[in-house]
PDB file of all heavy atoms in Angstrom:
ATOM      1  N   GLY G 282     -19.510 -24.376  20.158  1.00  0.00           N
ATOM      2  CA  GLY G 282     -19.373 -25.743  19.691  1.00  0.00           C
ATOM      3  C   GLY G 282     -18.430 -25.907  18.532  1.00  0.00           C
ATOM      4  O   GLY G 282     -17.823 -26.965  18.341  1.00  0.00           O
ATOM      5  N   ASN G 283     -18.231 -24.844  17.712  1.00  0.00           N
ATOM      6  CA  ASN G 283     -17.340 -24.929  16.557  1.00  0.00           C
ATOM      7  C   ASN G 283     -15.900 -24.574  16.892  1.00  0.00           C
ATOM      8  O   ASN G 283     -15.058 -24.466  16.002  1.00  0.00           O
ATOM      9  CB  ASN G 283     -17.846 -24.037  15.424  1.00  0.00           C
ATOM     10  CG  ASN G 283     -17.887 -22.576  15.807  1.00  0.00           C
ATOM     11  OD1 ASN G 283     -17.510 -22.192  16.930  1.00  0.00           O
ATOM     12  ND2 ASN G 283     -18.354 -21.723  14.895  1.00  0.00           N
ATOM     13  N   GLY G 284     -15.607 -24.358  18.185  1.00  0.00           N
ATOM     14  CA  GLY G 284     -14.254 -24.057  18.598  1.00  0.00           C
ATOM     15  C   GLY G 284     -13.950 -22.589  18.737  1.00  0.00           C
ATOM     16  O   GLY G 284     -12.894 -22.222  19.280  1.00  0.00           O
ATOM     17  N   SER G 285     -14.828 -21.721  18.251  1.00  0.00           N
ATOM     18  CA  SER G 285     -14.618 -20.286  18.416  1.00  0.00           C
ATOM     19  C   SER G 285     -14.876 -19.876  19.851  1.00  0.00           C
ATOM     20  O   SER G 285     -15.476 -20.631  20.643  1.00  0.00           O
ATOM     21  CB  SER G 285     -15.521 -19.494  17.464  1.00  0.00           C
ATOM     22  OG  SER G 285     -16.891 -19.746  17.744  1.00  0.00           O
ATOM     23  N   LEU G 286     -14.429 -18.691  20.226  1.00  0.00           N
ATOM     24  CA  LEU G 286     -14.559 -18.192  21.586  1.00  0.00           C
ATOM     25  C   LEU G 286     -15.427 -16.942  21.579  1.00  0.00           C
ATOM     26  O   LEU G 286     -15.408 -16.156  20.623  1.00  0.00           O
ATOM     27  CB  LEU G 286     -13.175 -17.867  22.170  1.00  0.00           C
ATOM     28  CG  LEU G 286     -12.150 -19.005  22.130  1.00  0.00           C
ATOM     29  CD1 LEU G 286     -10.776 -18.510  22.533  1.00  0.00           C
ATOM     30  CD2 LEU G 286     -12.586 -20.142  23.055  1.00  0.00           C
ATOM     31  N   VAL G 287     -16.184 -16.722  22.655  1.00  0.00           N
ATOM     32  CA  VAL G 287     -17.062 -15.565  22.740  1.00  0.00           C
ATOM     33  C   VAL G 287     -17.143 -15.088  24.179  1.00  0.00           C
ATOM     34  O   VAL G 287     -17.169 -15.891  25.111  1.00  0.00           O
ATOM     35  CB  VAL G 287     -18.464 -15.911  22.185  1.00  0.00           C
ATOM     36  CG1 VAL G 287     -19.091 -17.044  22.976  1.00  0.00           C
ATOM     37  CG2 VAL G 287     -19.365 -14.683  22.177  1.00  0.00           C
ATOM     38  N   ALA G 288     -17.145 -13.777  24.348  1.00  0.00           N
ATOM     39  CA  ALA G 288     -17.390 -13.154  25.641  1.00  0.00           C
ATOM     40  C   ALA G 288     -18.760 -12.494  25.572  1.00  0.00           C
ATOM     41  O   ALA G 288     -18.945 -11.552  24.798  1.00  0.00           O
ATOM     42  CB  ALA G 288     -16.304 -12.131  25.972  1.00  0.00           C
ATOM     43  N   LYS G 289     -19.709 -13.006  26.365  1.00  0.00           N
ATOM     44  CA  LYS G 289     -21.091 -12.547  26.308  1.00  0.00           C
ATOM     45  C   LYS G 289     -21.431 -11.669  27.495  1.00  0.00           C
ATOM     46  O   LYS G 289     -20.935 -11.864  28.600  1.00  0.00           O
ATOM     47  CB  LYS G 289     -22.041 -13.740  26.265  1.00  0.00           C
ATOM     48  CG  LYS G 289     -21.908 -14.610  25.033  1.00  0.00           C
ATOM     49  CD  LYS G 289     -22.941 -15.751  25.064  1.00  0.00           C
ATOM     50  CE  LYS G 289     -22.841 -16.622  23.807  1.00  0.00           C
ATOM     51  NZ  LYS G 289     -23.826 -17.714  23.841  1.00  0.00           N
ATOM     52  N   SER G 290     -22.322 -10.700  27.246  1.00  0.00           N
ATOM     53  CA  SER G 290     -22.812  -9.847  28.322  1.00  0.00           C
ATOM     54  C   SER G 290     -23.817 -10.637  29.163  1.00  0.00           C
ATOM     55  O   SER G 290     -24.179 -11.769  28.858  1.00  0.00           O
ATOM     56  CB  SER G 290     -23.471  -8.586  27.745  1.00  0.00           C
ATOM     57  OG  SER G 290     -24.560  -8.944  26.913  1.00  0.00           O
ATOM     58  N   THR G 291     -24.314 -10.010  30.238  1.00  0.00           N
ATOM     59  CA  THR G 291     -25.225 -10.712  31.150  1.00  0.00           C
ATOM     60  C   THR G 291     -26.530 -11.104  30.485  1.00  0.00           C
ATOM     61  O   THR G 291     -27.196 -12.034  30.950  1.00  0.00           O
ATOM     62  CB  THR G 291     -25.523  -9.824  32.360  1.00  0.00           C
ATOM     63  OG1 THR G 291     -25.994  -8.533  31.913  1.00  0.00           O
ATOM     64  CG2 THR G 291     -24.250  -9.607  33.198  1.00  0.00           C
ATOM     65  N   ASP G 292     -26.927 -10.422  29.418  1.00  0.00           N
ATOM     66  CA  ASP G 292     -28.156 -10.781  28.709  1.00  0.00           C
ATOM     67  C   ASP G 292     -27.921 -11.808  27.611  1.00  0.00           C
ATOM     68  O   ASP G 292     -28.819 -12.127  26.839  1.00  0.00           O
ATOM     69  CB  ASP G 292     -28.832  -9.540  28.130  1.00  0.00           C
ATOM     70  CG  ASP G 292     -27.965  -8.811  27.099  1.00  0.00           C
ATOM     71  OD1 ASP G 292     -26.831  -9.287  26.841  1.00  0.00           O
ATOM     72  OD2 ASP G 292     -28.417  -7.778  26.581  1.00  0.00           O
ATOM     73  N   GLY G 293     -26.704 -12.337  27.525  1.00  0.00           N
ATOM     74  CA  GLY G 293     -26.390 -13.377  26.544  1.00  0.00           C
ATOM     75  C   GLY G 293     -25.936 -12.866  25.201  1.00  0.00           C
ATOM     76  O   GLY G 293     -25.626 -13.685  24.324  1.00  0.00           O
ATOM     77  N   ALA G 294     -25.843 -11.580  25.013  1.00  0.00           N
ATOM     78  CA  ALA G 294     -25.424 -11.016  23.725  1.00  0.00           C
ATOM     79  C   ALA G 294     -23.903 -11.098  23.602  1.00  0.00           C
ATOM     80  O   ALA G 294     -23.189 -10.748  24.548  1.00  0.00           O
ATOM     81  CB  ALA G 294     -25.887  -9.577  23.593  1.00  0.00           C
ATOM     82  N   PRO G 295     -23.375 -11.531  22.448  1.00  0.00           N
ATOM     83  CA  PRO G 295     -21.920 -11.564  22.270  1.00  0.00           C
ATOM     84  C   PRO G 295     -21.345 -10.160  22.201  1.00  0.00           C
ATOM     85  O   PRO G 295     -21.909  -9.271  21.540  1.00  0.00           O
ATOM     86  CB  PRO G 295     -21.744 -12.301  20.940  1.00  0.00           C
ATOM     87  CG  PRO G 295     -23.039 -12.127  20.216  1.00  0.00           C
ATOM     88  CD  PRO G 295     -24.101 -12.042  21.277  1.00  0.00           C
ATOM     89  N   VAL G 296     -20.224  -9.939  22.875  1.00  0.00           N
ATOM     90  CA  VAL G 296     -19.568  -8.630  22.880  1.00  0.00           C
ATOM     91  C   VAL G 296     -18.204  -8.733  22.200  1.00  0.00           C
ATOM     92  O   VAL G 296     -17.877  -7.956  21.299  1.00  0.00           O
ATOM     93  CB  VAL G 296     -19.411  -8.109  24.321  1.00  0.00           C
ATOM     94  CG1 VAL G 296     -18.682  -6.751  24.317  1.00  0.00           C
ATOM     95  CG2 VAL G 296     -20.775  -7.978  25.002  1.00  0.00           C
ATOM     96  N   PHE G 297     -17.376  -9.714  22.615  1.00  0.00           N
ATOM     97  CA  PHE G 297     -16.085  -9.944  21.986  1.00  0.00           C
ATOM     98  C   PHE G 297     -16.052 -11.372  21.476  1.00  0.00           C
ATOM     99  O   PHE G 297     -16.588 -12.280  22.103  1.00  0.00           O
ATOM    100  CB  PHE G 297     -14.944  -9.736  22.985  1.00  0.00           C
ATOM    101  CG  PHE G 297     -14.976  -8.411  23.673  1.00  0.00           C
ATOM    102  CD1 PHE G 297     -15.220  -8.318  25.036  1.00  0.00           C
ATOM    103  CD2 PHE G 297     -14.766  -7.233  22.969  1.00  0.00           C
ATOM    104  CE1 PHE G 297     -15.247  -7.110  25.687  1.00  0.00           C
ATOM    105  CE2 PHE G 297     -14.797  -6.002  23.597  1.00  0.00           C
ATOM    106  CZ  PHE G 297     -15.046  -5.929  24.969  1.00  0.00           C
ATOM    107  N   VAL G 298     -15.430 -11.570  20.324  1.00  0.00           N
ATOM    108  CA  VAL G 298     -15.380 -12.898  19.722  1.00  0.00           C
ATOM    109  C   VAL G 298     -13.976 -13.178  19.200  1.00  0.00           C
ATOM    110  O   VAL G 298     -13.222 -12.273  18.870  1.00  0.00           O
ATOM    111  CB  VAL G 298     -16.396 -13.030  18.565  1.00  0.00           C
ATOM    112  CG1 VAL G 298     -17.822 -12.933  19.076  1.00  0.00           C
ATOM    113  CG2 VAL G 298     -16.146 -11.980  17.489  1.00  0.00           C
ATOM    114  N   ALA G 299     -13.664 -14.457  19.112  1.00  0.00           N
ATOM    115  CA  ALA G 299     -12.427 -14.912  18.479  1.00  0.00           C
ATOM    116  C   ALA G 299     -12.748 -16.144  17.663  1.00  0.00           C
ATOM    117  O   ALA G 299     -13.314 -17.115  18.200  1.00  0.00           O
ATOM    118  CB  ALA G 299     -11.368 -15.236  19.529  1.00  0.00           C
ATOM    119  N   PRO G 300     -12.465 -16.158  16.349  1.00  0.00           N
ATOM    120  CA  PRO G 300     -12.641 -17.372  15.561  1.00  0.00           C
ATOM    121  C   PRO G 300     -11.784 -18.504  16.129  1.00  0.00           C
ATOM    122  O   PRO G 300     -10.918 -18.290  16.972  1.00  0.00           O
ATOM    123  CB  PRO G 300     -12.166 -16.977  14.173  1.00  0.00           C
ATOM    124  CG  PRO G 300     -12.222 -15.480  14.159  1.00  0.00           C
ATOM    125  CD  PRO G 300     -11.937 -15.041  15.554  1.00  0.00           C
ATOM    126  N   SER G 301     -12.053 -19.733  15.684  1.00  0.00           N
ATOM    127  CA  SER G 301     -11.288 -20.873  16.177  1.00  0.00           C
ATOM    128  C   SER G 301      -9.786 -20.586  16.065  1.00  0.00           C
ATOM    129  O   SER G 301      -9.289 -20.289  14.972  1.00  0.00           O
ATOM    130  CB  SER G 301     -11.614 -22.121  15.344  1.00  0.00           C
ATOM    131  OG  SER G 301     -12.994 -22.408  15.408  1.00  0.00           O
ATOM    132  N   PRO G 302      -9.048 -20.629  17.178  1.00  0.00           N
ATOM    133  CA  PRO G 302      -7.605 -20.375  17.113  1.00  0.00           C
ATOM    134  C   PRO G 302      -6.923 -21.328  16.132  1.00  0.00           C
ATOM    135  O   PRO G 302      -7.271 -22.498  16.060  1.00  0.00           O
ATOM    136  CB  PRO G 302      -7.143 -20.591  18.548  1.00  0.00           C
ATOM    137  CG  PRO G 302      -8.358 -20.356  19.383  1.00  0.00           C
ATOM    138  CD  PRO G 302      -9.504 -20.855  18.555  1.00  0.00           C
ATOM    139  N   GLN G 303      -5.939 -20.814  15.414  1.00  0.00           N
ATOM    140  CA  GLN G 303      -5.267 -21.574  14.359  1.00  0.00           C
ATOM    141  C   GLN G 303      -3.745 -21.538  14.553  1.00  0.00           C
ATOM    142  O   GLN G 303      -3.216 -20.679  15.237  1.00  0.00           O
ATOM    143  CB  GLN G 303      -5.581 -20.963  13.002  1.00  0.00           C
ATOM    144  CG  GLN G 303      -7.055 -20.983  12.625  1.00  0.00           C
ATOM    145  CD  GLN G 303      -7.476 -22.299  12.012  1.00  0.00           C
ATOM    146  OE1 GLN G 303      -6.712 -22.932  11.302  1.00  0.00           O
ATOM    147  NE2 GLN G 303      -8.688 -22.705  12.283  1.00  0.00           N
TER     148      GLN G 303
END
Side-chain angles (χ1 to χ4, degrees):
N283 62 1
S285 62
L286 305 171
V287 60
K289 296 182 179 180
S290 60
T291 54
D292 62 0
V296 179
F297 307 113
V298 294
S301 302
Q303 299 276 324

